Amino acid sequence: MTRKPVPGEKPLYWIGSSLKDISQFPPEVQRTAGFALSAAQYGGKHPSAKPWKGEGPGVLEVVKNHDGDTYRALYTVRFANAVYVLHAFQKKSLHGIATRQSDVALVKERLKLAQQDYEERYG
């Protein structure tokens, strides 16, 4: 994070390569994800955000279609004082709407890293 949060705004932390990955999305997709993350920082939920079924409550995903491709950004609002971006990727499933198991495993691992980081920062 490069700036201090304003009153009422939770800080946003990026786990792993999620910032680099989302920065490679098309600008329109970046804007949608950015609006969703900003809403989460203020305790809200963007209309495009929906619960992600992989890790239980508090993990949300923003799905955006662009030029025939689908992009996803996953983040967690489980923590009282921060929002963590867990993963951002272009969907490339070979089986309909299913998410690749490697992406599911990565989100699970990054959620653990977010938990550790949160405990270190906030006790």
Side-chain angles (χ1 to χ4, degrees):
M1 179 174 221
T2 58
R3 65 173 178 77
K4 291 186 178 189
V6 298
E9 178 188 37
K10 295 178 184 180
L12 182 67
Y13 299 108
W14 302 84
I15 302 294
S17 63
S18 57
L19 177 58
K20 178 182 158 232
D21 296 338
I22 210 167
S23 70
Q24 295 174 5
F25 287 1
E28 180 183 329
V29 178
Q30 288 183 35
R31 277 191 297 279
T32 299
F35 289 141
L37 293 171
S38 181
Q41 286 181 271
Y42 285 98
K45 183 174 166 280
H46 189 273
S48 297
K50 62 182 182 176
W52 190 61
K53 296 180 172 117
E55 284 302 312
V59 178
L60 301 165
E61 70 175 334
V62 176
V63 179
K64 178 72 174 169
N65 294 317
H66 179 76
D67 283 344
D69 294 317
T70 301
Y71 298 85
R72 290 183 175 188
L74 286 92
Y75 61 96
T76 186
V77 294
R78 285 186 181 175
F79 309 111
N81 299 309
V83 175
Y84 284 85
V85 183
L86 304 172
H87 191 26
F89 61 101
Q90 181 179 351
K91 185 153 174 354
K92 295 184 179 184
S93 174
L94 301 175
H95 305 290
I97 62 170
T99 302
R100 292 184 305 195
Q101 286 303 310
S102 59
D103 289 315
V104 173
L106 186 59
V107 170
K108 187 174 187 172
E109 179 60 32
R110 288 183 176 177
L111 188 56
K112 288 179 187 176
L113 293 172
Q115 177 74 42
Q116 291 171 351
D117 183 79
Y118 186 79
E119 289 172 4
E120 289 173 11
R121 288 178 193 269
Y122 299 99

